[in-house]
Amino acid sequence: MLRRHSSHMPRKMMRWSKLLDWNRLMEKRTWVMAPSRSPWQIDYDRIVFSSAFRRLQDKTQVFPLSDSDYIRTRLTHSLEVSTVARTLGTIAGAVILERHGHELVLNNDQRLPLNAVVTPGDIGAILAAAALAHDLGNPPFGHSGEDAVRHWFETSRKLRQTRMRLSAAQRADMRNWEGNAQGFRILTLLQLYRAEGGGMRLTHSTLATFCKYPTQSLDALGKEAPASRKKFGVFQSELTQFQAVANATGLLRQKSGARVTWCRHPLAFLMEAADDVCYRIVDLEDGYRVGCIPFETASKVLLKIATKGKSRGSGC
């Protein structure tokens, strides 16, 4: 159980029995937890076989057009982040279920304790799936690609009439165009099931974990803001889908003027941590390999990580 304290609002809380919801966005039937293949394993598999995931192989992580096949792309980076996220999620999952496993969930028309249905590995699988998808919305050339989309929207003469017809919130979506929001759009609209409304039909918990910035563009506050509001993670066109995800998982709502924003799903912090761990290490490795960083600089930094705790037998 997660608590949030405020002097201006009554105490609210999120419950793991909802945060780990395994029903799927835009599907009316109730899903049953099957021990042989959990809903989150299905999420992972759907992402792996999607065309959006395959396209990551041609997108730059940091160093473009490398002559070496050692250098990471967005595809290999995503696989590495997913692996780290799965481990973090499994470790955290054991603690979560130890503390909150008594909460009841509905499975196959039975009310059961959460820890009788969900395992630590299942929580690791949620994070593995969300992390695998975390860069799906990134355009070619990363943040420079985002800047290009924003510049195109603001300066294109062909869009003059279109800009006038958009609402203030829709214009803000494009002026501040975000790969994170595009990723949510891909998962909930553009991939698979196009004849039935679109989207991969992933579980609510995976989608909520994926969304690092559960905020609209007009409510994003920049680098100095709290983690969940530095950027935005949902376009106006997918706001209804995100509201359904937030309601299903019980994310806390916050007022932001006349609009509503939400608190992060707690597992989203672990997904972000996995991303940080990977790119802070592998970008350094790649930088050395392409000759941008001297060996002495790279080894000095990486040895601190590689040897930390070695005397206690932790190993790699």
Side-chain angles (χ1 to χ4, degrees), residues 204-218:
H204 294 127
S205 50
T206 292
L207 289 169
T209 300
F210 166 86
C211 197
K212 292 197 299 183
Y213 306 106
T215 299
Q216 301 172 63
S217 56
L218 287 174

Side-chain angles (χ1 to χ4, degrees), residues 3-64:
R3 290 185 172 86
R4 178 176 176 272
H5 298 275
S6 172
S7 58
H8 304 290
M9 299 176 63
R11 186 175 67 183
K12 296 182 179 180
M13 52 191 160
M14 293 188 278
R15 301 187 69 88
W16 285 102
S17 53
K18 294 199 70 175
L19 289 167
L20 303 180
D21 183 80
W22 57 77
N23 288 300
R24 298 185 177 278
L25 180 66
M26 297 178 66
E27 289 197 2
K28 294 182 179 179
R29 62 171 170 153
T30 300
W31 281 70
V32 174
M33 179 66 73
S36 58
R37 188 169 181 239
S38 77
W40 302 301
Q41 290 176 315
I42 296 173
D43 285 350
Y44 186 95
D45 296 347
R46 288 185 180 184
I47 294 165
V48 165
F49 283 95
S50 69
S51 59
F53 183 70
R54 291 195 299 277
R55 282 195 291 270
L56 292 176
Q57 66 187 320
D58 292 324
K59 292 183 179 179
T60 298
Q61 170 61 13
V62 173
F63 301 99

Side-chain angles (χ1 to χ4, degrees), residues 40-285:
W40 302 301
Q41 290 176 315
I42 296 173
D43 285 350
Y44 186 95
D45 296 347
R46 288 185 180 184
I47 294 165
V48 165
F49 283 95
S50 69
S51 59
F53 183 70
R54 291 195 299 277
R55 282 195 291 270
L56 292 176
Q57 66 187 320
D58 292 324
K59 292 183 179 179
T60 298
Q61 170 61 13
V62 173
F63 301 99
L65 305 176
S66 174
D67 293 331
S68 170
D69 59 5
Y70 176 92
I71 304 304
R72 273 86 170 179
T73 64
R74 287 285 178 182
L75 181 71
T76 48
H77 166 71
S78 296
L79 289 167
E80 290 173 339
V81 174
S82 180
T83 300
V84 174
R86 181 182 61 216
T87 299
L88 292 178
T90 303
I91 294 170
V95 177
I96 291 167
L97 294 176
E98 180 182 354
R99 295 179 181 178
H100 307 287
H102 62 277
E103 295 180 20
L104 296 179
V105 294
L106 182 64
N107 186 55
N108 203 16
D109 296 325
Q110 289 184 296
R111 282 281 180 184
L112 298 170
L114 183 63
N115 58 12
V117 183
V118 176
T119 69
D122 289 329
I123 297 176
I126 295 173
L127 272 154
L132 194 69
H134 84 281
D135 270 349
L136 284 187
N138 281 26
F141 307 109
H143 297 306
S144 296
E146 291 175 325
D147 289 338
V149 174
R150 296 163 188 159
H151 178 76
W152 165 78
F153 175 76
E154 289 280 43
T155 60
S156 173
R157 293 182 179 180
K158 293 183 178 180
L159 293 179
R160 185 177 301 167
Q161 294 298 319
T162 300
R163 286 194 295 267
M164 294 176 62
R165 291 195 297 268
L166 298 179
S167 68
Q170 289 171 328
R171 288 195 297 272
D173 283 355
M174 295 303 298
R175 285 173 176 156
N176 305 289
W177 194 90
E178 258 294 329
N180 290 285
Q182 180 67 11
F184 190 78
R185 178 175 171 82
I186 288 170
L187 294 176
T188 60
L189 180 67
L190 299 183
Q191 284 285 291
L192 305 178
Y193 295 100
R194 293 299 299 275
E196 303 172 42
M200 291 192 193
R201 307 296 168 86
L202 302 183
T203 61
H204 294 127
S205 50
T206 292
L207 289 169
T209 300
F210 166 86
C211 197
K212 292 197 299 183
Y213 306 106
T215 299
Q216 301 172 63
S217 56
L218 287 174
D219 301 307
L221 302 177
K223 293 183 179 180
E224 303 304 318
S228 62
R229 296 186 66 181
K230 290 181 179 180
K231 301 180 182 181
F232 74 98
V234 56
F235 293 128
Q236 293 300 303
S237 51
E238 286 74 52
L239 185 56
T240 299
Q241 288 95 316
F242 183 78
Q243 288 170 333
V245 170
N247 291 337
T249 53
L251 299 186
L252 292 181
R253 294 161 60 92
Q254 298 175 310
K255 275 288 189 180
S256 178
R259 294 175 301 278
V260 173
T261 187
W262 294 266
C263 293
R264 269 184 179 180
H265 191 292
L267 295 182
F269 289 94
L270 291 180
M271 184 186 70
E272 185 173 44
D275 189 21
D276 288 352
V277 166
C278 286
Y279 78 71
R280 290 177 187 274
I281 294 174
V282 304
D283 290 356
L284 197 62
E285 292 180 356

Side-chain angles (χ1 to χ4, degrees), residues 289-304:
R289 183 55 67 104
V290 299
C292 292
I293 300 173
F295 175 79
E296 293 75 16
T297 300
S299 62
K300 181 178 179 181
V301 175
L302 294 176
L303 278 173
K304 290 181 180 179

